[in-house]
Amino acid sequence: MNNSPKDWPEPIVRVQSLSESGLPVIPDRYIKPPDQRPSFSPATQASHVNIPLIDLGDLNGDHEKRTAITEQIFQASTEWGFFQVVNHGVCPQLMDRARQAWYGFFHQPMEVKQAYANSPKTYEGYGSRLGLEKGAILDWGDYYYLHYLPSSLKDQNKWPALPSDLRAVIDEYSAQVVKFCGALMKILSQNLGLGDEALQDAFGGENIGACLRVNFYPKCPQPELTLGLSSHSDPGGLTVLLADENVAGLQVRKNDMWTTVKPAPHAFIVNIGDQIQVLSNAKYKSVEHRVIVNSDRERISLAFFYNPKSDLLIEPAKELVTPETPALYPAMTFDQYRLYIRTRGPRGKSQLGESQSSPR
Ligand code: OGA
Ligand code: NI
């Protein structure tokens, strides 16, 4: 991207440093307007409501079992845009090691982490903000962002060298998650009445993009005033999130309420991104979500993004465009699309032309 900005509009402050300094109050920069605070409406859903949990163990079983599972995926993708999966094929021990490796990175001394400080040009590396608006209200979280695919963008020298097993673990983890996403793409494609490979082909076949954003949400002395990550929908194709099993934080919007996700052991939280909403002509929903923080536990999450090849035009699949269901979105490349969110920061779903149902 040639027109990307080169640097941040103001000095970067690490949220982890703020948290560790033991301040009893958060700086004004992190205080959200009242209508965006966790306690404001839309209210938080009763705690027994959760996103669907789908066991993929029998996906290769007989026809009937497979159909039951693919139907659950269809329901979840059209109604929630979010679901959890277990028995997804990614090795549970590898999931633990991946989370552990990143925990180890974020607990390295600050100067070790600063060596990877990112810039808005590519966002790769250690970061503490999204968006370039000077004076913007910031989120209570730091992150690390890296490319896995295409291989031309994968540069392990830009991945943390410490802990010493991180690069190998993340390489293997990413390979397994990509494989899982490929299987899911087939199901999502079939469920739209398209051929098995239609969605994957629209993404560029083997030339897809894949990147990892590891979120680190430090303890916050005033969690009721801020968010770890502001409400947004994911701009890419699919997101596979490995959340902290012990600390909840992710909230998903549904029927104008926020549902707090309770992660199941060794589950992935999967969500539909904007590009699949576009390709499906809004049959599948890319749903707004956000992260709340708390005062006694830090939280870590690994968000793996499976994206279309960045210079392909993405538009509603031809088979899904009829006189009754006209195309809802113009064709756009993912490069064009992503620039919007990278410049303006997370802002609900405004980039898909959907108005906000709560003011922000
Ligand atoms: C993201 C995201 C959720 C979380 O990184 O896009 O929504 O729980 N993360 O950290
Ligand atoms: Ni997200």
Coordinates of all heavy atoms in Angstrom, one line a residue, residues 18 121 143 321 342:
L18 N 1.3 1.4 31.7 CA 0.4 2.2 32.5 C -0.2 1.3 33.6 O -0.3 1.7 34.8 CB -0.8 2.7 31.6 CG -0.6 3.9 30.7 CD1 -1.9 4.1 29.9 CD2 -0.4 5.1 31.6
K121 N 2.3 1.8 8.8 CA 2.6 1.5 7.4 C 2.1 0.0 7.1 O 1.4 -0.2 6.1 CB 4.0 1.7 7.1 CG 4.3 1.6 5.6 CD 5.7 2.2 5.3 CE 6.1 1.8 3.9 NZ 5.1 2.2 2.9
Y143 N -1.0 -5.1 21.5 CA -1.1 -6.3 20.6 C 0.2 -6.5 19.9 O 1.1 -5.7 19.9 CB -2.3 -6.0 19.6 CG -2.0 -4.9 18.7 CD1 -1.3 -5.0 17.5 CD2 -2.6 -3.6 19.0 CE1 -1.1 -3.9 16.6 CE2 -2.4 -2.5 18.1 CZ -1.6 -2.7 17.0 OH -1.4 -1.6 16.1
V321 N -27.1 -13.4 -6.4 CA -27.7 -12.1 -6.8 C -28.8 -12.4 -7.8 O -28.6 -13.0 -8.9 CB -26.6 -11.2 -7.5 CG1 -27.2 -9.9 -8.0 CG2 -25.5 -10.9 -6.5
R342 N -7.9 0.8 9.0 CA -6.6 1.1 9.5 C -6.3 2.6 9.7 O -5.5 3.1 10.4 CB -5.5 0.6 8.5 CG -5.4 -0.9 8.6 CD -4.3 -1.4 7.9 NE -4.1 -2.9 8.2 CZ -3.1 -3.6 7.7 NH1 -2.2 -3.1 6.9 NH2 -3.0 -4.8 8.1

